[in-house]
């Protein structure tokens, strides 16, 4: 049975994030989420109508990426530039920066804050964004800290569910794949605990959802199931959130090889799904969703990527105090 969540979600009218670091989804309650989603929709309308604005003119963002990225780095850069701001991308590998000479993260962010107004950081270690924020006077936005969190991805994921299905409450959401190392799953799950949803976690034994997070889910009172098989959830789910097995997090690559091809969403599997369900993926994919699924209208992962730019435009404008 779906649990009761109050319908009385207080509205926020004033920007709750000026000057804030964005480190974790724990900073986002429902009123803040609704406020952000409304601003992201305004950004979408503005881009479709005008292509961009000069809201962030003379503001500068550094994209500091210690790990590879296509979507997060480029959508943050696109977001800043659509709003008339400028960017310093350190995204081609920090080996070309003074990090390769041994410069610490605190010194690196204290350097970059001299030139910029906001720093977007991706780093392989859990907690790195928090450390950077402790040393930096300018807002730090966590673009993924190891197997920890990826808050802006979770925000765009939730925004996508809301846009695609018109609501979040009363939905049945199945997370599939690497639930141990998939930071997007961790962040999205924590956001979903604020809603009246049912969850299912589908993974090989080796990469089950971490116990502390599963305990959080159970404590919240949400209805939750765990299984190894997509077949157990495919006709039940409103949202199938598929993830890649995170090869880069395995110390024993033979374990990765054992499970890397565990799941593949194919047209045959999609034939068992509801007509209105959506398939999402934070991407990149490496075989979890067949390319032959891409033309299915329920394949939402390309629209999901586009939504990322609008969410990141709203976040940048918010932390820079321009909303
Ligand atoms: N979803 C996501 O974080 O993609 P990138 O690794 O390409 O940024």
């Amino acid at each position: 049975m779906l649990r009761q969540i109050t319908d009385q979600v207080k509205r926020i009218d004033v920007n709750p994030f000026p000057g804030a670091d964005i480190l974790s989804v724990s900073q986002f309650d429902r009123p803040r989420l609704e406020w952000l989603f409304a601003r992201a929709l305004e950004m979408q309308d503005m881009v479709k109508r005008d292509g961009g604005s000069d809201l962030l003119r003379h503001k500068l963002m550094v994209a500091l990426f210690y790990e590879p990225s296509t979507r997060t780095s480029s959508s943050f850069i696109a977001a800043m530039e659509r709003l008339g701001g400028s960017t310093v991308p350190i995204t081609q590998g920090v080996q070309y920066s003074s990090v390769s000479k041994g410069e610490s993260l605190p010194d690196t962010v204290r350097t970059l804050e001299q030139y910029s107004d906001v720093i977007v950081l991706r780093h392989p270690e859990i907690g790195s964004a928090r450390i950077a924020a402790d040393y930096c006077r300018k807002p730090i936005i966590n673009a993924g800290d190891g197997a920890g969190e990826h808050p802006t991805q979770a925000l765009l994921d939730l925004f996508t569910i809301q846009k695609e299905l018109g609501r979040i409450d009363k939905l049945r959401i199945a997370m599939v794949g690497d639930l141990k190392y998939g930071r997007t799953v961790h962040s999205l799950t924590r956001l979903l605990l604020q809603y009246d949803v049912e969850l299912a976690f589908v993974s090989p034994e080796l990469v089950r959802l971490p116990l502390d997070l599963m305990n959080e889910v159970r404590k919240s009172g949400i209805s939750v199931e765990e299984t190894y098989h997509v077949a157990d959830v495919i006709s039940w789910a409103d949202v199938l959130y598929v993830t890649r097995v995170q090869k880069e997090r395995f110390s024993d690559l033979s374990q990765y090889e054992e499970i890397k091809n565990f799941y593949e969403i194919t047209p045959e599997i999609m034939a068992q799904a509801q007509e209105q369900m959506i398939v999402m993926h934070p991407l990149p994919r490496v075989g979890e969703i067949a390319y032959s699924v891409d033309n299915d209208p329920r394949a939402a992962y390309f629209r999901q990527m586009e939504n990322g730019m609008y969410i990141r435009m709203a976040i940048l404008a918010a932390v820079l105090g321009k909303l």
Side-chain angles (χ1 to χ4, degrees):
M1 203 172 86
L2 293 166
R3 74 198 171 129
Q4 291 300 313
I5 296 260
T6 176
D7 290 333
Q8 306 299 317
V9 178
K10 264 196 191 159
R11 293 209 176 278
I12 294 183
D13 296 318
V14 178
N15 176 6
F17 302 111
D21 302 303
I22 303 295
L23 305 178
S24 164
V25 290
S26 63
Q27 294 168 256
F28 293 84
D29 58 10
R30 283 183 67 156
R32 284 173 177 75
L33 289 166
E34 287 185 10
W35 181 87
L36 184 74
F37 293 170
R39 303 294 80 74
L41 283 175
E42 288 166 9
M43 293 296 176
Q44 174 184 305
D45 290 347
M46 183 272 289
V47 169
K48 303 263 184 222
R49 190 181 59 241
D50 305 324
S53 80
D54 60 1
L55 189 68
L56 298 185
R57 196 155 71 96
H58 300 315
K59 295 290 183 188
L60 196 142
M61 179 196 88
V62 174
L64 177 60
F65 279 62
Y66 288 73
E67 280 192 329
S69 166
T70 299
R71 275 145 293 273
T72 313
S73 55
S74 59
S75 65
F76 263 113
I77 289 168
M80 195 68 188
E81 298 195 0
R82 291 264 185 198
L83 290 171
S86 308
T87 58
V88 174
I90 307 179
T91 53
Q92 300 304 315
V94 288
Q95 68 267 29
Y96 299 114
S97 74
S98 286
V99 169
S100 66
K101 302 176 204 162
E103 188 163 59
S104 65
L105 178 62
D107 277 2
T108 301
V109 296
R110 278 183 298 200
T111 303
L112 296 171
E113 75 175 0
Q114 310 302 322
Y115 319 128
S116 65
D117 302 292
V118 57
I119 298 173
V120 177
L121 173 69
R122 172 168 291 186
H123 195 280
E125 284 164 29
I126 295 176
S128 51
R130 171 80 266 165
I131 291 169
D134 286 344
Y135 284 92
C136 185
R137 289 172 297 123
K138 305 284 172 62
I140 294 282
I141 300 176
N142 182 3
D145 59 338
E149 279 218 42
H150 193 347
T152 65
Q153 177 71 45
L155 293 168
L156 78 88
D157 291 341
L158 202 63
F159 179 57
T160 299
I161 296 171
Q162 171 77 52
K163 271 181 71 182
E164 293 278 328
L165 298 175
R167 67 186 201 283
I168 298 163
D169 284 318
K170 314 284 185 204
L171 291 180
R172 293 170 165 160
I173 298 164
M175 312 261 195
V176 179
D178 182 348
L179 310 184
K180 178 178 180 182
Y181 297 119
R183 56 195 173 197
T184 69
V185 167
H186 303 164
S187 291
L188 180 58
T189 298
R190 290 198 165 98
L191 282 184
L192 287 169
L193 296 188
Q194 301 186 49
Y195 292 84
D196 184 8
V197 294
E198 292 181 53
L199 296 178
F201 295 106
V202 185
S203 71
E205 179 65 32
L206 269 175
V207 287
R208 281 172 67 180
L209 196 76
L211 192 58
D212 59 339
L213 182 50
M214 183 53 97
N215 286 339
E216 266 181 62
V217 174
R218 290 197 195 286
K219 210 169 142 197
S220 77
I222 273 185
S223 162
V224 58
E225 300 290 338
E226 272 188 296
T227 176
Y228 300 128
H229 308 293
V230 172
D232 293 341
V233 300
I234 190 67
S235 61
W236 166 90
D238 300 300
V239 177
L240 196 69
Y241 187 92
V242 184
T243 63
R244 162 181 79 91
V245 179
Q246 308 262 310
K247 182 179 182 182
E248 64 274 29
R249 312 274 177 233
F250 283 76
S251 48
D252 178 354
L253 275 183
S254 68
Q255 292 193 332
Y256 167 75
E257 292 295 331
E258 199 181 304
I259 60 170
K260 69 177 183 187
N261 297 324
F262 213 81
Y263 302 110
E264 185 188 18
I265 307 303
T266 60
E268 292 70 37
I269 290 175
M270 290 295 285
Q272 300 165 48
Q274 298 178 46
E275 220 171 285
Q276 301 302 324
M277 68 87 82
I278 54 169
V279 183
M280 298 174 63
H281 194 308
L283 301 174
R285 64 176 151 180
V286 287
E288 311 80 40
I289 302 178
Y291 289 102
S292 48
V293 173
D294 293 358
N295 288 333
D296 188 313
R298 297 169 293 181
Y301 30 94
F302 295 112
R303 300 189 291 272
Q304 185 182 351
M305 278 192 278
E306 181 186 348
N307 290 333
M309 186 176 75
Y310 306 132
I311 282 287
R312 287 165 176 144
M313 290 171 79
I315 288 172
L316 287 167
V319 300
L320 291 169
K322 293 291 184 180
L323 290 178

